[in-house]
Each structure stands twice: as C-alpha cells, then as structure tokens.
Amino acid sequence: MKDLKRVVLAYSGGVDTSVCIPYLREKYGVSEVITFVADLGQGEDLESIRQKALQSGAFKSIIGDLVKPFIDEFAFPAIRANALYGDKYPLSTALARPLIAKNLVAIAREFNADAVAHGCTGKGNDQVRFDLTINALGPDLEIITPAREWKMSREEAINYGERFGIPAPVSKKSPYSIDVNLLGRSIEAGILEDPMSPPSEDIFEMTSSIKEAPEEPEDIVIEFLNGFPVSINEEKLNHLELMKRANLIAGKHGFGRLDMMEDRIVGIKSREIYETPGLLLLIKAHKEMESLTLNPDVLEFKSLVDKKWGQLVYRGFWYGPLKSALDEFISSTQHSVNGMVKIRLHKGNAVVIGRSSIQNSLYREDLATYNKNDSFDHESAKGFIYMWGMSNKIWAESNNNNVK
Ligand code: ARG
C-alpha cells in the first residue's frame, strides 16, 4: 500500500480506536493521524478523550458538536417516517453513523487528507454505514479499517497499544458492548449473547425499572406541526429540548426498553437490548397523529414507505437515491399532520388515550355517531354493497357454495 500522508480517524477513546493511531502510523505508513470524536449527546468527557488521542500519537484531535444536526436532520425525519427496523428498533445508533461519516469526509477535505479510517470490526452494521456514507460523499477517499484486518485479540491489541504508551484500561472492562447517544443506548454481548438470558436491571440508565417507576400514571399531551413534535404539555420546545424532555418523561415511567432478535446487514441474527424512551414515545404519538389526519390510502401506502425507509437507514443507505425519493414522499404527506395526542405513561407503558386536530382531523362525529344526530346515509349502503360484493357473489354461485 502506498504511504499515506494524512488520515482522519473516527475516534471514541476506547482501546480499539486508540490502538488504531499507532497502528495506522506503523503498518500503513500514515504520517499524520487526525482524530475526530463526535458529540452526539452521549454525556462523556470529550475533552479528556481528545487529550487521550493526542497522547496516543494523534497529530491533531478534533471534537465535533453534532448534537443539534443529529436531532434536527436525523432523529426528527425518523419520527416522520415512523422508523422502526424489524417493527421495533428506532435506529438510535444507525441514525448517528451517516452524520459521523459526513463529518469525517468534511474534515478530510478541510485538512487535505488522503483517507479516512474507523475502528469497526467486520461483522457489525456500523462499518457498512460508515463505508457507504464515505463512498457516497467522498468517493475518492480511501477507507482504512485496521480492526477489520489486524486479527488481534483484545489482549493483543492492549499489549500492542502499551508498546506505544497507550495505557491498558484501568477499570475492569464492562462485559457489554454499549453504544450511547442522546437518542438511546444499545447494549450487546456478555451474557446477553444467550438470547434466553434476561437483561439485568443494572444495564439500564435512561429508563426506570417497573418497580421504581412512579405508582401514579401521568398523562401528557404532545403537539405536532407538519408531522414534527413541537410541544409537550403546551410548552413549546425546540427539537433538541423536546427530545430531551421526551427522554426524561418516558424514561421516568420505565417506557422505551427493547429486547429483540435483530437481523444484521451481514446476515447474522443478534440479540439486542435497547433503551430509547423519547424516540419510541414520539414515534408512537406521531403514528397516532397520522391516523387522525391522513387518508386511508396514504396511510396504507406510507406504512410500506416507512418500512423501506427504516430498512434503508439501517442498512447504510442514508445518502442514497431511494432514501431521498422516499423523503420527498414522506414530506409531501406531512403538511396535514397537525394536532395533539394524549398519552398515559404508567409502569413501563405508554398508551394513547386521546387525539385531536382542529385543522386537519378527518374524523366526522356526525358521520360516526350512533346518536340521533347521525348524518350518515344508511340507505345508500345497500347499493354500495350490491356492487362491492358482486364479483364474490357470482363466484359463490358458480361454485355452488350454498349451505344446504
Ligand atoms: N445493532 C445496533 C445497530 O446496528 C446497535 C449497534 C451498536 N454499535 C456499536 N458499535 N456498539 O444499529
């Protein structure tokens, strides 16, 4: 491989990405490693992570505050798309990767780097999301993935790092592999690799246990404008504040945990635990808002679009032609998604208990009512059913279907 001058490395501060720094220099002939750590609201001390990169031999170490674009440009479109991979997982990790990769490319451009690098292994989803995004936004950039190639065990990686002054992790490593951002936490590995072994309570941080959740239910009202949530309990909040508030309220009541089997992009099944309280709450409320304000044909078709949108994002195609086209379809449906949804939170549940829309409700009480104000024309049902069932009746007659 030709010697590379500058490489931008996605950096987390963990053992693997730290070891990547000397490894890139020694094995790939890189002269300057620029590290990039993204602030996605994970609540870590990013300055000390930045320093750790420098101590590990980085030429330059950059922190990017991506919290606002993460929520505005990634999480909120996912709410409009009711995005749930496998009908369950709201893509909390998957949504972050294209944003990180986009910033890697931007930094590579700014500093005239020849390549970008990341520490993903060869059987996860994140490598796919990084690589596809880099290919889409910086097709000329080389992608270097040491952890996919070095074949070192964790101990070997630690020993390798120690040779370059990277201290072995002091605390005993958590038995789990955890990814955290403002939207949620994903927890894998350790005893969770046995799909029958239940998650222990201590792995959760954003959601209360059922036992500790308040005894009393709490009702909240979420307001939507053009398919985006804009207020909770009549308090107008910007997207970021709203997401944080939704996390707190849902998390307090223990809503938002998932324990599921997931089909990874690379073809294997894995057992995943998530806690994504706010995002799941907002998607549930958004779906309800749509059910009041969208026509049945649109609802039915949009559910197919939503499913495909979620699959594309999970599978790394955030920057792809079908995803862009589906975005336009979804946007075109959201102008009428306005109103309020009332939800009762209690002991791990979030149950819709009301919905209203002054401007865009398609519910007509005079047509639905069973009382004397009913304005539905019952007689016209006869002619409708005559034609609606015609072909079925002909089929039944010609097949001699009559019950004797
Ligand atoms: N299975 C989830 C996903 O693909 C979570 C991945 C977590 N990533 C990680 N590097 N720990 O979105």
Side-chain angles (χ1 to χ4, degrees), residues 85-86 89 91 93-95 97-98 120-133 148 188 260-272 274 309-318:
Y85 179 71
Y89 164 47
L91 304 173
T93 293
L95 289 163
R97 296 305 182 258
C120 298
T121 63
K123 69 179 183 190
N125 295 321
D126 292 328
Q127 54 163 347
V128 182
R129 298 165 184 153
F130 277 136
D131 289 11
L132 264 59
T133 302
R148 234 161 29 191
E188 298 165 286
M260 62 185 283
M261 295 310 298
E262 188 171 296
D263 285 295
R264 284 201 193 162
I265 304 166
V266 297
I268 61 177
K269 286 192 185 288
S270 65
R271 193 272 187 94
E272 304 280 336
Y274 298 103
W309 193 98
Q311 282 175 354
L312 288 169
V313 172
Y314 184 88
R315 295 174 182 164
F317 295 100
W318 180 274

Side-chain angles (χ1 to χ4, degrees), residues 87-271:
D87 296 328
K88 293 189 181 119
Y89 164 47
L91 304 173
S92 44
T93 293
L95 289 163
R97 296 305 182 258
L99 177 59
I100 299 171
K102 178 182 161 194
N103 279 269
L104 291 174
V105 173
I107 293 166
R109 297 295 185 227
E110 185 181 345
F111 292 97
N112 244 324
D114 330 88
V116 292
H118 60 73
C120 298
T121 63
K123 69 179 183 190
N125 295 321
D126 292 328
Q127 54 163 347
V128 182
R129 298 165 184 153
F130 277 136
D131 289 11
L132 264 59
T133 302
I134 295 159
N135 285 333
L137 303 182
D140 53 303
L141 289 170
E142 194 173 325
I143 304 173
I144 310 178
T145 57
R148 234 161 29 191
E149 288 148 29
W150 63 32
K151 297 188 180 71
M152 290 192 280
S153 67
R154 189 174 164 79
E155 290 66 41
E156 286 163 345
I158 291 171
N159 291 339
Y160 179 89
E162 280 183 319
R163 279 179 35 215
F164 295 91
I166 297 170
V170 271
S171 55
K172 206 173 146 300
K173 185 177 155 31
S174 147
Y176 304 109
S177 162
I178 299 176
D179 183 60
V180 189
N181 61 47
L182 189 80
L183 299 181
R185 298 174 68 250
S186 107
I187 307 117
E188 298 165 286
I191 56 161
L192 298 173
E193 283 175 3
D194 172 2
M196 194 60 174
S197 119
S200 62
E201 199 50 53
D202 61 2
I203 66 174
F204 297 105
E205 288 181 3
M206 297 173 80
T207 52
S208 308
S209 65
I210 301 294
K211 207 166 128 215
E212 270 157 20
E215 293 302 320
E216 290 304 311
E218 179 177 354
D219 294 352
I220 61 164
V221 174
I222 302 173
E223 185 188 351
F224 287 86
L225 192 62
N226 298 321
F228 288 133
V230 291
S231 82
I232 297 183
N233 294 336
E234 293 185 14
E235 186 181 348
K236 292 262 181 256
L237 298 165
N238 68 34
H239 293 177
L240 177 57
E241 293 165 343
L242 194 135
M243 184 56 74
K244 288 182 178 167
R245 185 74 58 89
N247 274 337
L248 287 178
I249 299 175
K252 177 174 85 180
H253 289 279
F255 173 75
R257 293 184 182 182
L258 296 172
D259 179 342
M260 62 185 283
M261 295 310 298
E262 188 171 296
D263 285 295
R264 284 201 193 162
I265 304 166
V266 297
I268 61 177
K269 286 192 185 288
S270 65
R271 193 272 187 94

Side-chain angles (χ1 to χ4, degrees), residues 339-404:
M340 313 219 189
V341 175
K342 194 182 284 175
I343 293 191
R344 178 161 296 166
L345 290 147
H346 189 220
K347 293 283 185 194
N349 293 306
V351 180
V352 174
I353 54 167
R355 72 293 286 153
S356 75
S357 173
I358 295 168
Q359 299 290 331
N360 303 98
S361 175
L362 302 179
Y363 173 73
R364 285 271 304 272
E365 198 168 344
D366 61 321
L367 291 174
T369 184
Y370 287 99
N371 73 24
K372 64 177 175 17
N373 301 325
D374 184 3
S375 66
F376 192 92
D377 176 8
H378 290 242
E379 277 171 35
S380 56
K382 190 173 173 181
F384 163 69
I385 295 168
Y386 175 76
M387 289 181 274
W388 178 249
M390 181 63 82
S391 67
N392 207 61
K393 187 161 178 255
I394 295 169
W395 172 83
E397 282 166 359
S398 81
N399 283 278
N400 234 341
N401 249 5
N402 51 329
V403 178
K404 297 268 164 21

Side-chain angles (χ1 to χ4, degrees), residues 14-88:
V15 172
D16 282 349
T17 53
S18 296
V19 168
C20 279
I21 299 170
Y23 199 89
L24 283 167
R25 298 174 64 184
E26 192 187 48
K27 308 280 184 193
Y28 294 85
V30 174
S31 43
E32 292 167 352
V33 178
I34 300 174
T35 58
F36 175 69
V37 55
D39 185 354
L40 295 159
Q42 64 270 47
E44 284 175 307
D45 176 2
L46 297 183
E47 181 51 31
S48 72
I49 292 177
R50 200 184 79 80
Q51 292 299 334
K52 184 168 181 197
L54 294 171
Q55 283 150 22
S56 306
F59 160 75
K60 191 172 178 62
S61 181
I62 299 171
I63 302 175
D65 180 356
L66 306 185
V67 181
K68 192 169 153 27
F70 184 41
I71 301 305
D72 289 345
E73 295 162 33
F74 291 80
F76 269 55
I79 294 168
R80 275 179 157 191
N82 302 314
L84 297 174
Y85 179 71
D87 296 328
K88 293 189 181 119

